[in-house]
Amino acid sequence: MSGSTIPVMEIFGPTVQGEGMVIGRKTMFVRTAGCDYRCAWCDSAFTWDGSGRDDIRLMTPSEVLTELKEKGGEGFDHVTLSGGNPALLPQLGGLIDQLRALGMEVALETQGSRWQDWFLSIDDLTLSPKPPSSGMVTDWGVLDDIVRRLEHSRVGFSLKVVVFDEADLAFAAIVHERYPTVPFYLQAGNGNLEEKEPGRMLPYLLKQYEWLVSSVMADDKLRKVHVLPQLHTWIWGNKKGV
């Protein structure tokens, strides 16, 4: 793969950001292929499990920009880099530079397993270490280093943990205690990825969110936190490209 091209799975929008520190923000999405994690409940496993292999396009930053404009017109000024894990791709720096030159704001979510120097050009950066339900193990040394670098920068960043159960909630409390000055978000998990009908998803998602809210309110260790639903699933369920 050429160092100047980006493995792109999807470009879509404008839509609302459904997660994290800029939830509800009007944004375009660029979803890249590849991930160094294999989360048990991943809602975008097609980016790394081989099932979406035929959808991958190797695109230059200029080609990505052209498609963003074709799909979004003049109606956006915010672009979210999603995955997979976009932090695997050093070549994303070229795209970010071109977006910012056009006055666009750029958001990223990554699990905090890999540093890229282009993090310092991101406007809204979410680090989302994965809880026990994911089956993944956090490298605290790597995450500590990334948080330290970001704290010494002007990047707007936050931490977010997806919560499915009590073990995940305990993990979230550990993260919050470890980085107490970093804005912290908890998000209710979606464990019903096979449901195709959005109308049947909402009662399940609401129940998950209600449980998380009540659990956090009762937990003295979780004080300075924001408790979020996964907003886009409330509207569109498990539909891709929204």
Side-chain angles (χ1 to χ4, degrees), residues 68-218:
L68 283 168
K69 291 175 182 177
E70 287 174 350
K71 293 185 173 181
E74 298 297 323
F76 69 98
D77 64 357
H78 191 274
V79 176
T80 299
L81 304 176
S82 184
N85 183 11
L88 298 179
L89 304 173
Q91 65 269 39
L92 274 175
L95 173 61
I96 294 163
D97 288 344
Q98 291 193 33
L99 287 168
R100 291 180 62 86
L102 293 173
M104 300 288 173
E105 295 181 359
V106 184
L108 167 78
E109 179 172 322
T110 177
Q111 58 262 41
S113 61
R114 189 78 62 91
W115 171 266
Q116 294 291 349
D117 287 342
W118 52 254
F119 282 10
L120 300 176
S121 297
I122 298 294
D123 297 284
D124 308 308
L125 196 159
T126 298
L127 299 174
S128 184
K130 305 309 177 188
S133 62
S134 71
M136 299 294 103
V137 177
T138 296
D139 186 326
W140 294 106
V142 172
L143 186 58
D144 285 349
D145 180 64
I146 292 173
V147 170
R148 178 187 58 79
R149 293 191 194 203
L150 292 173
E151 284 181 325
H152 287 85
S153 74
R154 295 184 178 181
V155 175
F157 81 103
S158 66
L159 284 153
K160 187 192 81 176
V161 175
V162 177
V163 176
F164 285 81
D165 54 31
E166 295 289 350
D168 289 355
L169 198 63
F171 173 85
I174 291 170
V175 173
H176 190 39
E177 182 178 23
R178 193 177 187 98
Y179 313 109
T181 63
V182 180
F184 191 57
Y185 295 79
L186 297 179
Q187 179 180 299
N190 174 15
N192 193 11
L193 299 177
E194 300 303 317
E195 178 58 64
K196 303 300 183 184
E197 175 53 53
R200 288 197 289 266
M201 282 288 291
L202 189 54
Y204 161 77
L205 294 168
L206 181 59
K207 184 177 180 180
Q208 289 288 95
Y209 185 53
E210 287 177 334
W211 171 81
L212 181 58
V213 168
S214 63
S215 298
V216 172
M217 297 309 113

Side-chain angles (χ1 to χ4, degrees), residues 13-48:
T15 185
V16 293
Q17 171 59 259
E19 305 182 357
M21 62 191 292
V22 286
I23 189 170
R25 179 71 157 89
K26 185 178 183 180
T27 189
M28 296 291 293
F29 274 86
V30 177
R31 185 184 300 281
T32 61
C35 193
D36 50 333
Y37 276 22
R38 300 292 184 266
C39 295
W41 36 252
C42 180
D43 60 4
S44 53
F46 60 90
T47 62
W48 52 261

